[in-house]
Amino acid sequence: MSHFLLPSTPIYGHVMPMLAIGRGLAARGHRVTVLTGRKYAGAVAAYGLSFLPLPSEVDYDDADLENWLPNRHKYSGIAAGRYDVLGLFIRPLRAQHDSVLRALATDHYDGIVCEASFLGVMPLLLGVPPGQRIPIVGVSATPMTLTSVDCAPFGSGLDPGDSPFSRLRNRQINFLLHRGPLRSLHATLEATLVELGVPRARTNYFDQASRFDVTFQLAVAGIEYPRRELPPTVRFVGPLRTPLPTHTRLPQWWADLSGPQPVVHVTQGTLDNADPAKLLVPALRGLARENVLVVASTGGRPVDSVVAAYGGPLPENARVAEFIPYDRLLPQTDVVVTNGGYGGVQRALFYGLPIVVAGSTEDKPEVAARVAWSGSGINLRTGKPSPGRLRTAVLTALRDPRYRLAAQRLQREIAAQGDPLATIMTTLERLTATPHQVEATPTRGADRPSLAYDRSNLGAF
């Protein structure tokens, strides 16, 4: 059996899919070591996997990003996206890379299964020929960012369009943004890679997912924009089907879901959920007098925080819990209202549910745009919808069959894709079954590991 290293940025929606994949590998007899933030050490252990911590200087808390990225709330639009990408993904690259090299130098690994936004493997992918290293595959749990003449730049929230005018628009906007406001992203990434020994080359941050030997996109093609430049190494495998292990008890009101009212699930996810007044409270207010049961989850925040933000007793048709297992909730749900977490949207589509999206941070506007483009839901184009606007969108999603039919079309596409875990496992086992002529292992410099290699020690890599 093989030993796999699974690095991941310390963000819940990025870590948990990797743990599901790790558990699948372990179930097939493989040894799995997860490299991520200390906050997730307990979750790694619960999955029966080994744990390696990220260096403390890049081990940020995804529940307190303001501490890691001071004044984050002051940025908006392109500036906010640039600030987040620099701070969450590019700035940690050097220390992430050091931790990967330390892992490779102290134990034997047959392959790396990397969460795609973890950039610490980029020096290996770009600086070491494939035949001289172990396989490195990526797992993308976010919308596809690859630049294309068929798509507007990632972050714009614009539909791709298929006319000559749209393609001209895409070329122009891509040129202006990547040579202008986004230039610092690419320049900083390139400079960091050069310092780590990678030959200088024009680098585009948004294309990093194409650098892996294989990239598994945890979605189906029907929810993603078509790209003529899409490399064959990128494979749509669909959302993970394995329910996450949970010890969460079902709330006392669980039997209410079996009543005659349509069930509307509302979530702010696990990242941008500190302020329930953004989405949870408007949904509770807007639907308070409707003949629906509103089931809200706080993503781990105290339920009392929702009551406080609401300013009094919650409506009679409201039910709130910190966590609710989706494999139990979504089969009884009629509409999902979300701030646009990629994983949650994919799970809703797995069950063929129409979606209302109100998201404005991280990659959420792009998720919302894809939902609307696919016809499976409504994009409110804001992260703070009014109660009235939210009410109208939910009732439309409930009553207009077009949204459910589109969601069910994607549900059938997901089902036809087969089990993504099986696809990932088979591919990994095929890649690691072929002996690799590894010529080098990383050595540790005075201050940190580097891309200098010692040919006398071939065993660790």
Side-chain angles (χ1 to χ4, degrees), residues 232-255:
T233 54
V234 176
R235 303 180 186 177
F236 292 96
V237 296
L240 296 173
R241 302 180 178 186
T242 306
L244 301 178
T246 177
H247 303 292
T248 304
R249 294 181 179 179
L250 296 178
Q252 294 181 346
W253 45 257
W254 189 256

Side-chain angles (χ1 to χ4, degrees), residues 9-11 14 60 68 81 83-94 96 115-120 142 189 205 208 362:
T9 52
I11 298 174
H14 297 232
Y60 53 81
W68 176 253
Y83 188 61
D84 279 0
V85 168
L86 284 168
L88 297 177
F89 306 120
I90 296 179
R91 178 173 136 201
L93 190 160
R94 184 189 303 273
Q96 289 178 351
E115 185 266 310
S117 67
F118 183 99
L119 301 183
T142 60
L189 177 58
Y205 164 79
Q208 87 272 10
E362 297 90 35

Side-chain angles (χ1 to χ4, degrees), residues 6 127 155 221 257 264 357 388 405 423 442 451:
L6 275 61
L257 274 69
V264 178
V357 190
L405 289 173
T423 302
L451 277 180

Side-chain angles (χ1 to χ4, degrees), residues 120-452:
V121 299
M122 287 295 113
L124 294 175
L125 284 168
L126 300 176
V128 182
Q132 297 179 23
R133 58 167 172 76
I134 56 178
I136 305 176
V137 305
V139 177
S140 177
T142 60
M144 188 172 291
T145 64
L146 301 179
T147 53
S148 170
V149 67
D150 296 319
C151 302
F154 187 84
S156 67
L158 296 173
D159 285 348
D162 56 5
S163 68
F165 172 79
S166 296
R167 289 192 290 273
L168 177 61
R169 177 207 65 179
N170 295 339
R171 286 191 180 95
Q172 291 176 336
I173 299 178
N174 270 302
F175 179 85
L176 292 172
L177 281 181
H178 291 294
R179 297 296 191 276
L182 299 180
R183 184 177 181 178
S184 61
L185 294 183
H186 313 315
T188 303
L189 177 58
E190 180 180 323
T192 304
L193 290 172
V194 168
E195 290 175 3
L196 293 172
V198 176
R200 185 177 297 277
R202 179 171 291 180
T203 304
N204 187 321
Y205 164 79
F206 296 97
D207 291 340
Q208 87 272 10
S210 66
R211 307 295 190 181
F212 294 95
D213 299 333
V214 178
T215 300
F216 300 106
Q217 183 73 25
L218 299 183
V220 291
I223 192 63
E224 190 50 74
Y225 302 147
R227 291 167 169 82
R228 68 187 65 188
E229 303 92 344
L230 189 67
T233 54
V234 176
R235 303 180 186 177
F236 292 96
V237 296
L240 296 173
R241 302 180 178 186
T242 306
L244 301 178
T246 177
H247 303 292
T248 304
R249 294 181 179 179
L250 296 178
Q252 294 181 346
W253 45 257
W254 189 256
D256 297 346
L257 274 69
S258 300
Q261 297 171 300
V263 175
V264 178
H265 172 51
V266 186
T267 174
Q268 279 186 218
T270 56
L271 189 59
D272 186 21
N273 61 11
D275 180 9
K278 285 185 175 181
L279 182 58
L280 297 185
V281 169
L284 295 173
R285 291 192 188 282
L287 298 171
R289 297 184 179 182
E290 298 300 323
N291 185 32
V292 298
L293 185 69
V294 183
V295 178
S297 58
T298 68
R301 303 284 180 176
V303 173
D304 289 346
S305 66
V306 179
V307 177
Y310 192 82
L314 299 181
E316 292 184 4
N317 67 342
R319 307 290 185 272
V320 185
E322 291 186 5
F323 285 108
I324 306 174
Y326 268 10
D327 59 318
R328 300 291 300 275
L329 172 64
L330 294 185
Q332 302 187 68
T333 298
D334 295 278
V335 172
V336 172
V337 179
T338 172
N339 66 346
Y342 194 67
V345 164
Q346 299 302 321
R347 292 301 293 172
L349 294 175
F350 178 85
Y351 288 99
L353 300 176
I355 307 167
V356 174
V357 190
S360 60
T361 60
E362 297 90 35
D363 57 4
K364 293 175 175 62
E366 286 292 334
V367 177
R370 283 157 173 75
V371 167
W373 172 80
S374 70
S376 59
I378 298 171
N379 178 8
L380 293 180
R381 299 183 180 274
T382 178
K384 298 180 178 179
S386 68
R389 189 176 177 192
L390 209 152
R391 170 185 173 276
T392 298
V394 169
L395 295 181
T396 300
L398 277 171
R399 296 167 181 171
D400 190 332
R402 291 177 298 176
Y403 298 106
R404 181 170 295 277
L405 289 173
Q408 290 173 342
R409 171 179 52 79
L410 291 170
Q411 180 187 32
R412 291 191 295 272
E413 186 178 349
I414 291 170
Q417 193 71 49
D419 184 0
L421 270 180
T423 302
I424 294 171
M425 303 301 122
T426 301
T427 304
L428 289 173
E429 289 170 350
R430 176 178 56 79
L431 287 172
T432 55
T434 303
H436 292 263
Q437 300 300 316
V438 178
E439 297 183 2
T441 55
T443 59
R444 196 178 304 276
D447 299 317
R448 60 175 180 81
S450 70
L451 277 180

